[in-house]
Each structure stands twice: as structure tokens, then as C-alpha cells.
Amino acid sequence: MFTDELKAFRRLGFRHVLLQVLNFASVIASGLMIWKGLGIVTNSESPIVVVLSGSMEPAFYRGDLLFLTNPSSEQYKTGDITVYKIPGADIPIVHRVLETHDVPPKIDIRQYTKATKRSKSQPTSGKNSEHDNQLLLTKGDNNPIDDIELYRGLEWLEKKHIVGKVKGFLPYVGYVTIAMNDFPQLKYALLGGLGLLALIQRE
Amino acid sequence: MARTKQVNAQNNGSQPSSSKSNGTGVEKARSPSPDASDRPLGPLSVTVPAYEREEVKVNNANLTELKNACDDAVKRFLSRPELFKQQYLHTDIRLALGWLSVFVAAGTAFYGYKVEFEQSKPVVTIGLVLYIILTTLSTLYAYFVEGDTIFVGKRKTFSKRIITERITLSSSSPPLPKNTSCPSYSVSLQYVRSTNGGKTLLGRGRTTGAAEYSRFFDEAGVMDQPGFEKWVGGLVESAMDGKAA
């Protein structure tokens, strides 16, 4: 099946092979850069996420694609749908904000966030942003109780735990990602097929 | 073929005595065109043994494949020993810019993966901007500087003095002309011959030619390479003779 292509490569020379591989590599590179660029523009670590559980039904179902933004001046309000990540947990969670408390920047927020020790307040950490820090409590629409159990010891979420606020969504599209995660062979097959196409095609 | 060979032999053979007066006479009459007696080998006088050819078969409904097959045939034809040596400047610049941008992208993505998001933002932004600049440069170069060029060749021959020749070919598939039903392959050549390290211009020629693809490809898509090479060779030789077509 490949003898024709291999013959063509040998005939056309080394530079041609380099050019074809460059085609393939630059497709991947541009994909990566678009992803990183989106992250920088939206100020969010992961600007597009897939809903994995049904805890936000009927608003979001498993398999929906969510678009997030996280501007640094954002003050979250009750009712916002946020995606947050607890340090130590792998997967981010998408739930709705139930309560917010604004904390002026001068006050050390850590005395409020730890459920255990009420130690003497240490000197404030370097971050002295001009915007209020916030303490947040979230709950999934489809869950009977709020998220305290999920916070792994924290009493409140801080802004630094928030990946972003949901600005828009696309239904069902996320199933492609779920399928590729559950069946890694699909991921390799897709990548392999794309690669083959890019290597053989000449523009 | 035989006649051409003989004429060339005659020209080259008559170097010492009669061509001197002949040559200067010709030069005075048509000054920009090169000296006929001094002319180095044209591509038609270098034959390719039949057994060395590989069959070229393309999908003759796909215009890109047809054009690529013709371009490759031109490159093979003109790069034979005794003929021009292909200059890879355009290709190398495109390769360099392209691979550099790929490495910048890979490095930036890897850095963003390793370092936590907030800290990585300045470096990732720089990497992103660099990538955009490199990609834009590469696209602009390919579009403006390289354009339609498919072959740039250079040759140095030594007859009475070192003669340097430079030939540039560009090709395109222009849209169907009104009366025919087949797209055509249009090629345009620029040819410069000089000596003395490029300081003395001996001659210059510019030719264009167009032929329908159906002339060189049959219904199965097999390419008639000798016919194609004869056509291109004719165009190159007329450029070498200095005819502005």
C-alpha cells in the first residue's frame, strides 16, 4: 500500500520528506498554540471543558462542552456557574455559586478558609490585588447538599481555586472527548490517521 | 535529436578561428542576446537513457496532482548532471522558519504544562507572540518572495572563461481559456548568463509557454515524459538563445 509513496519520497529527496513532516508538525503546533492562546486570552487554565457528571442537570448534561473565562477583575455572584479545582484533586468540578463573601485585600484570607486551626494571623501574603478577594460556597443543581464534602478540608473556595465562569456551552460535542478518554485506541487511531493524511498529501 | 547534436558540435568545434569574427558580429547586431557560439549545453542535447525513467502516473482529474507531476518532471529534467544545479534557498528558508516555529510551539506548550498557570503566563505569552511572528513571516515569504517559483538553477561552465548561468522557472495552472476544455500548464523562465564573477552580463532571456495538460497525460493519467521534456527543453533553449517570447 505504501510502496508508491515510499518510491515517491526516495525520488523527491530528503528536503521533500522534511517538508511533509513539517506539514504534520505544524498542524499539531498550531493546535497547541491555539489552545494556549485561548488560555491566555481568557485568563483561564483550561478554557474549554467537558461535563462528566450529571450534578448540574437540567442545566448541563454529561457530554456538554463548556466555554470558560476568568478575568482577574471578576467578582463572582450568587448564581454564577463556575468550574473550580481543589488542590489535590485531579478533576475540576462545575457547580453553581451559592454564597459569596467579599474580603478586602488587606485582611489575611487564610484565617477564614481553614476549617481546623485558628492560628494567629500570619503576615499577609504578597498578593495585594486591588480587587477584593472572595470566599465562595458552591452546590450542584442536582445535588441535595452543598459542596463542603468535596472541599477536602477547606471551609470556603477562594478565587485562586476557580478555573473560570461558564460563558457558553455546546451540547453533546464533549462526547468525543469522553470516548477518546475511555477508549485510548480511538485517540491514537485518530492521530495516526491525521498524521498519515498530512504526510502523504501535497498542497 | 541527431541534428541538434550536430549543430552544437559544429558550434563548439568552430571555436578557435571563425567564431571569433562570427561571434563579435552577432553580438553587435543583437546586443542583449547571448553569443550563440559561446552557448553552453542546452537541456535538449543531454539525453536520458530510457531505462532510467520511472513511470509517473497521477489522477488526471486532480489539477494539483497534474501540476505537481509537471513541476517534479521539470526539476528532474533540469537537475541532471551536465545541466543546472538546483538552488534550495527558498525551500531552506521555508523549512527553517517552519521548524523553528514548531520548536517554539513545542517548547511553549511544554513549559505551560510543567509550570503552574499563573506563573507561566508571561513566558507562554512571549512564546505565543514569537510563534505568530514566525508563522506570519513564513507565509509572507512563501507568498511574496517565492510566489510561483518551482525551480532555481545555477551552472558554471568553462569554455574560454568561467560562465555562470542562472535560471528561474515558475509555473501555474491558469484558469481555462475560452475555447478549450482542458486546463493548461503555463511556465515562465528567466535566464541570465554572466561571467567574471557576475560582473559582466553575457546574455539574458525570458520565455513563457503554455500547453494543455492533455498533451502530456493520457486517459489513464500516465505522463508522457519525453514529450514533456522536449517541450520544456525547447523553451529553455530559446531562453538561452535570448529570445524574449
Side-chain angles (χ1 to χ4, degrees):
Chain A
M1 171 167 94
F2 292 113
T3 46
D4 280 340
E5 272 76 29
L6 283 177
K7 245 200 291 178
F9 279 147
R10 213 179 319 126
R11 185 177 55 195
L12 290 167
F14 179 61
R15 276 193 175 78
H16 178 76
V17 173
L18 270 182
L19 269 174
Q20 293 297 103
V21 179
L22 179 63
N23 263 351
F24 174 60
S26 60
V27 168
I28 300 201
S30 57
L32 276 174
M33 285 287 101
I34 289 178
W35 174 254
K36 285 278 169 250
L38 214 56
I40 296 281
V41 163
T42 60
N43 196 32
S44 160
E45 186 178 340
S46 182
I48 304 182
V49 291
V50 173
V51 177
L52 291 177
S53 70
S55 57
M56 278 300 284
E57 294 183 15
F60 299 132
Y61 293 89
R62 180 176 149 90
D64 287 352
L65 205 69
L66 301 177
F67 299 101
L68 311 174
T69 62
N70 186 26
S72 49
S73 58
E74 178 93 54
Q75 297 292 101
Y76 294 99
K77 299 187 282 296
T78 308
D80 287 346
I81 305 177
T82 57
V83 175
Y84 62 88
K85 202 156 148 190
I86 300 286
D90 297 329
I91 358 175
I93 303 174
V94 53
H95 282 166
R96 202 182 290 270
V97 172
L98 209 58
E99 266 181 54
T100 71
H101 299 278
D102 292 339
V103 178
K106 296 284 190 329
I107 299 181
D108 180 8
I109 201 172
R110 281 174 296 172
Q111 52 186 310
Y112 300 114
T113 51
K114 285 284 182 237
T116 50
K117 7 186 182 140
R118 293 272 162 168
S119 53
K120 269 198 351 204
S121 54
Q122 276 93 16
T124 46
S125 57
K127 243 213 214 134
N128 197 14
S129 62
E130 48 295 0
H131 303 285
D132 287 354
N133 206 339
Q134 286 186 295
L135 300 170
L136 306 164
L137 180 65
T138 59
K139 174 184 172 297
D141 290 350
N142 211 15
N143 289 347
I145 47 169
D146 62 28
D147 288 347
I148 289 283
E149 303 285 314
L150 297 167
Y151 287 174
R152 293 191 179 212
L154 294 174
E155 254 190 40
W156 300 96
L157 283 181
E158 291 177 54
K159 273 218 273 195
K160 68 177 186 200
H161 298 126
I162 307 282
V163 173
K165 175 169 135 174
V166 177
K167 275 283 155 59
F169 85 111
L170 277 178
Y172 307 119
V173 178
Y175 268 114
V176 178
T177 315
I178 293 179
M180 289 210 288
N181 272 335
D182 289 346
F183 308 108
Q185 305 98 333
L186 198 63
K187 205 186 330 184
Y188 297 131
L190 197 70
L191 214 62
L194 260 177
L196 213 63
L197 224 73
L199 283 174
I200 296 185
Q201 207 96 317
R202 283 179 72 183
E203 44 200 84
Chain B
M1 222 23 126
R3 252 183 63 221
T4 330
K5 262 199 158 146
Q6 222 178 21
V7 169
N8 264 339
Q10 242 183 23
N11 268 342
N12 287 336
S14 61
Q15 288 270 0
S17 49
S18 57
S19 78
K20 268 257 163 74
S21 52
N22 202 7
T24 43
V26 170
E27 264 177 84
K28 277 194 179 141
R30 319 173 271 156
S31 55
S33 55
D35 188 353
S37 64
D38 223 1
R39 198 189 83 170
L41 281 174
L44 286 180
S45 23
V46 181
T47 47
V48 172
Y51 63 82
E52 260 178 25
R53 278 196 204 288
E54 271 177 42
E55 183 193 70
V56 176
K57 184 168 187 312
V58 296
N59 172 10
N60 61 1
N62 183 344
L63 195 59
T64 320
E65 276 192 42
L66 289 173
K67 178 175 183 303
N68 283 337
C70 289
D71 290 346
D72 291 343
V74 166
K75 287 179 212 169
R76 275 198 310 275
F77 180 54
L78 291 177
S79 315
R80 284 173 295 168
E82 296 295 308
L83 287 176
F84 300 95
K85 189 154 161 268
Q86 185 166 6
Q87 301 296 106
Y88 290 109
L89 183 68
H90 291 314
T91 317
D92 285 347
I93 290 192
R94 251 196 323 152
L95 276 175
L97 284 175
W99 277 107
L100 202 60
S101 69
V102 165
F103 286 132
V104 164
T108 311
F110 185 68
Y111 181 80
Y113 174 70
K114 278 285 172 198
V115 174
E116 187 253 318
F117 179 67
E118 287 291 321
Q119 283 174 327
S120 70
K121 275 201 290 199
V123 177
V124 169
T125 318
I126 295 176
L128 197 67
V129 169
L130 204 61
Y131 175 79
I132 292 177
I133 290 178
L134 284 170
T135 323
T136 317
L137 272 178
S138 175
T139 313
L140 287 178
Y141 185 87
Y143 189 68
F144 287 115
V145 177
E146 191 180 348
D148 279 337
T149 316
I150 55 164
F151 183 84
V152 178
K154 211 164 131 165
R155 175 164 71 167
K156 281 193 156 84
T157 50
F158 183 71
S159 49
K160 294 179 274 188
R161 48 218 158 143
I162 298 179
I163 298 180
T164 311
E165 297 159 280
R166 201 180 155 86
I167 186 167
T168 309
L169 275 112
S170 47
S171 76
S172 60
S173 303
L176 302 173
K178 291 268 168 74
N179 295 329
T180 58
S181 60
C182 176
S184 63
Y185 182 68
S186 155
V187 84
S188 102
L189 296 114
Q190 274 132 0
Y191 175 81
V192 173
R193 194 190 302 161
S194 61
T195 184
N196 209 2
K199 284 181 266 199
T200 316
L201 180 66
L202 286 180
R204 177 194 301 244
R206 194 168 294 212
T207 321
T208 57
E212 293 178 12
Y213 279 114
S214 53
R215 200 167 132 188
F216 308 118
F217 293 90
D218 63 10
E219 299 100 28
V222 179
M223 183 177 184
D224 168 26
Q225 294 185 58
F228 181 74
E229 291 177 1
K230 205 144 133 214
W231 176 66
V232 173
L235 286 175
V236 173
E237 297 213 336
S238 71
M240 288 170 86
D241 288 333
K243 297 192 184 71

